[in-house]
């Protein structure tokens, strides 16, 4: 069987399509359609161990040879932690988030692993780790999906990918990320994998509702990236397999909901930890240490935040600070590894501000900060400027869209929606399914590719790899 697979920065989702009817599979907790893209392990070595165990057979034995050092460490850690063979050591989705919140100072926690796949300068062992993380998540999603349909295995999939995984790194970064995804998907048991730009997937889902042909600008504000595509769409095109000629422009960068959360945490929550205070010299406290604390989707920033040199820097800043007690809170935040918690609090504030003008944010230390919708708008303004530029980059000067189709979880925020609508004020804006459009479009594409329902020739995968 075949499926549309959205391996998202915020959530994973799986959908089937039969004769144009899409069914989202309930792979999430409590029958929901979305599994959070979060992994927690009591030790990082347990991730490789879990993948090898779940693969089993020849595939498991082959990977075990490549991960011998990690497996040896896992055996030592089981003894050190006094764990029995049946004890859980790795958690995915909501269970991972809860395990992290219970003991944030222990274990290995990663949120939105997709955000790291195109990072520059990844060492071979880091690439291997992300391959294992993605493989483990895909194994889990695939197993949950197959349990839902109870009709054999899912062997073919169309997987979504952003136009650009990173803001820098170019096609080399894209190829690195796509290779990790493909390797993981094959290890997880998919025989055939095709990739499709996420905004095109959203566009194909929107196309199913169109009664006349239109030129559509799709703006997908996802968890890790914002992607824009200008596409000719309509009933006269939807059954055609080859769509390269309908795709008039693409743009994308790693600016997503995670970045909005980080910006909000930086500007409104980091003052509690000393941002904006002064040194005894009268100079402002440097911003970089606070940015490294909240930039949880930046490999380099997180490496620096957890380094010995960061500890030394904090000690020096505390000697020179007019308000050292605020920096002491940053010391505790780092020591207890509660920076993920802080950004999660900012995410919840962002969601709350979609309905209210003022929300209360509780810090990991129990203190409260009031955050207003105006403060959120100001915090994300530089990011929204870049999103506006992406929209214009996808649209030629002499070819305006007939309609703007907006999707992605963060597009629900009034501060985001209003800025998107302001770019082409004369063009109507349609709000799509904020979370399901991409998955549904991937499933529709899977039916065209794998069920032979389409006409025309070519792959038309829209990955930019041809």
């Amino acid at each position: 069987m075949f499926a549309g697979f959205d391996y998202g920065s915020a959530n994973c989702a799986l959908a089937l399509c039969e004769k144009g009817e899409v069914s989202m599979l309930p792979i999430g907790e409590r029958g929901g359609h979305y599994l959070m893209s979060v992994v927690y392990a009591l030790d990082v070595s347990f991730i490789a161990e879990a993948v090898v165990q779940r693969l089993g057979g020849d595939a498991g034995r082959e990977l075990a040879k490549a991960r011998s050092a990690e497996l040896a460490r896992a055996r030592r850690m089981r003894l050190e932690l006094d764990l029995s063979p049946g004890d859980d050591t790795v958690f995915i989705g909501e269970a991972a988030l809860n395990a992290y919140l219970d003991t944030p100072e222990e274990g290995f926690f990663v949120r939105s692993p997709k955000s790291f796949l195109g990072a520059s300068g990844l060492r071979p062992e880091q690439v291997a780790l992300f391959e294992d993380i993605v493989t483990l998540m895909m194994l889990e999603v695939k197993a949950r999906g197959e349990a839902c349909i109870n009709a054999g295995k899912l062997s073919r999939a169309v997987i979504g990918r952003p136009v650009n995984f990173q803001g820098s790194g170019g096609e080399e970064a894209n190829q690195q990320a796509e290779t990790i995804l493909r390797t993981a998907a094959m290890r997880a048991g998919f025989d055939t994998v095709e990739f499709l730009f996420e905004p095109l997937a959203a566009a194909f889902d929107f196309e199913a509702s169109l009664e006349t042909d239109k030129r559509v600008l799709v703006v997908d504000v996802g968890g890790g990236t914002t992607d824009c595509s200008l596409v000719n769409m309509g009933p006269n095109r939807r059954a055609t397999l080859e769509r390269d000629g309908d795709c008039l422009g693409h743009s994308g960068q790693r600016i997503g909901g995670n970045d909005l959360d980080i910006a909000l945490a930086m500007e409104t929550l980091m003052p509690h930890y000393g941002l904006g205070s002064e040194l005894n010299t009268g100079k402002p406290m440097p911003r970089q240490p606070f940015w490294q604390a909240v930039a949880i989707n930046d490999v380099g920033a997180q490496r620096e935040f957890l380094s010995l040199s960061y500890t030394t820097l904090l000690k020096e800043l505390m000697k020179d600070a007019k308000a050292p007690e605020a920096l002491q809170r940053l010391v505790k935040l780092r020591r207890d590894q509660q920076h993920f918690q802080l950004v999660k609090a900012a995410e919840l504030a962002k969601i709350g501000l979609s309905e209210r003008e003022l929300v209360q944010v509780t810090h990991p230390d129990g203190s409260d900060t009031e955050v207003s919708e105006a403060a959120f708008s100001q915090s994300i303004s530089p990011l929204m400027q870049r999103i506006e530029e992406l929209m214009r980059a996808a649209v030629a000067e002499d070819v305006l869209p007939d309609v703007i189709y907006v999707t992605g979880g963060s597009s629900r925020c009034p501060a985001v929606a209003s800025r998107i609508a302001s770019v082409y004020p004369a063009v109507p804006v349609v709000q799509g399914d904020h979370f399901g459009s991409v998955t549904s479009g991937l499933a529709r594409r899977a039916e065209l590719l794998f069920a032979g329902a389409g006409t025309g020739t070519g792959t038309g995968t829209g990955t930019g790899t041809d």
Side-chain angles (χ1 to χ4, degrees), residues 398-419:
D398 57 343
V399 184
L400 291 178
D402 299 316
V403 62
I404 299 172
Y405 181 67
V406 184
T407 186
S410 291
S411 64
R412 296 179 300 168
C413 301
V416 175
S418 61
R419 289 287 293 267

Side-chain angles (χ1 to χ4, degrees), residues 198-209:
E198 287 158 356
L200 283 183
F204 292 150
D205 186 51
F206 179 53
E207 184 178 51
S209 67

Side-chain angles (χ1 to χ4, degrees), residues 6-316:
D6 183 10
Y7 181 75
S9 298
N11 298 286
C12 295
L14 203 63
L16 306 180
C17 185
E18 185 175 0
K19 298 180 180 178
E21 293 295 323
V22 175
S23 300
M24 297 283 291
L25 298 182
I27 65 168
E29 280 74 24
R30 295 173 294 279
H33 293 149
Y34 305 100
L35 179 68
M36 279 194 292
S37 298
V38 179
V39 173
Y40 178 83
L42 299 183
D43 183 79
V44 66
S45 63
F46 291 136
I47 294 175
E49 181 189 65
V51 174
V52 169
Q53 289 176 347
R54 292 193 66 160
L55 287 179
D58 292 340
R61 285 188 287 272
E62 181 179 350
L63 186 62
K65 293 178 182 178
R67 302 288 190 267
S68 58
E70 289 81 359
L71 295 180
R73 175 184 168 89
R75 289 191 291 271
R76 293 195 301 271
M77 292 304 299
R78 280 191 173 274
L79 292 173
E80 183 176 322
L81 298 174
D82 193 25
L83 296 171
S84 65
D87 288 337
D88 291 331
T89 58
V90 181
F91 307 87
I92 298 173
E94 185 177 311
L97 180 61
N98 291 337
Y100 161 71
L101 293 176
D102 285 343
T103 54
E105 72 280 5
E106 299 176 5
F108 174 81
F109 179 76
V110 59
R111 175 190 179 195
S112 306
K114 182 181 175 182
S115 299
F116 298 96
L117 303 186
S120 301
L122 288 182
R123 300 187 298 273
E125 62 270 22
Q126 291 176 310
V127 172
L129 173 60
F130 285 119
E131 284 179 355
D132 290 346
I133 291 172
V134 179
T135 300
L136 187 63
M137 294 185 69
M138 287 189 170
L139 282 166
E140 182 69 17
V141 170
K142 187 170 182 288
R144 292 190 183 199
E146 290 171 347
C148 293
I149 58 178
N150 195 28
K153 292 186 176 181
L154 295 171
S155 59
R156 294 171 289 177
V158 176
I159 300 176
R161 55 149 288 188
V163 175
N164 290 302
F165 283 86
Q166 293 285 117
S168 59
E171 195 53 34
E172 183 177 350
N174 290 335
Q175 287 301 311
Q176 172 183 284
E178 190 171 298
T179 297
I180 292 173
L181 287 173
R182 187 181 297 278
T183 298
M186 293 301 184
R187 282 182 181 157
F190 289 104
D191 300 327
T192 305
V193 171
E194 298 286 348
F195 291 94
L196 181 66
F197 284 156
E198 287 158 356
L200 283 183
F204 292 150
D205 186 51
F206 179 53
E207 184 178 51
S209 67
L210 291 176
E211 297 179 356
T212 60
D213 289 355
K214 293 183 181 295
R215 187 180 301 120
V216 181
L217 174 60
V218 181
V219 182
D220 178 13
V221 188
T225 60
T226 292
D227 297 295
C228 302
S229 290
L230 185 66
V231 192
N232 285 325
M233 318 217 74
N236 294 321
R237 293 179 163 87
R238 66 172 64 113
T240 303
L241 185 61
E242 175 55 65
R243 299 296 296 271
D244 288 350
D246 291 333
C247 302
L248 308 178
H250 297 297
S251 65
Q253 284 188 20
R254 205 190 74 172
I255 311 165
N258 294 339
D259 299 281
L260 303 183
D261 303 338
I262 289 167
L264 181 61
M266 178 70 174
E267 301 303 331
T268 66
L269 303 184
M270 274 289 114
H272 179 65
Y273 303 90
L275 177 65
S277 61
E278 290 187 348
L279 300 171
N280 289 321
T281 60
K283 293 182 179 180
M285 191 71 64
R287 288 176 60 87
Q288 190 68 7
F290 301 94
W291 173 252
Q292 290 164 342
V294 296
I296 60 173
N297 60 356
D298 186 314
V299 172
Q302 289 301 286
R303 185 185 300 126
E304 184 60 32
F305 179 61
L306 299 174
S307 69
L308 181 60
S309 62
Y310 190 94
T311 303
T312 304
L313 175 62
L314 282 184
K315 289 179 180 178
E316 293 175 351

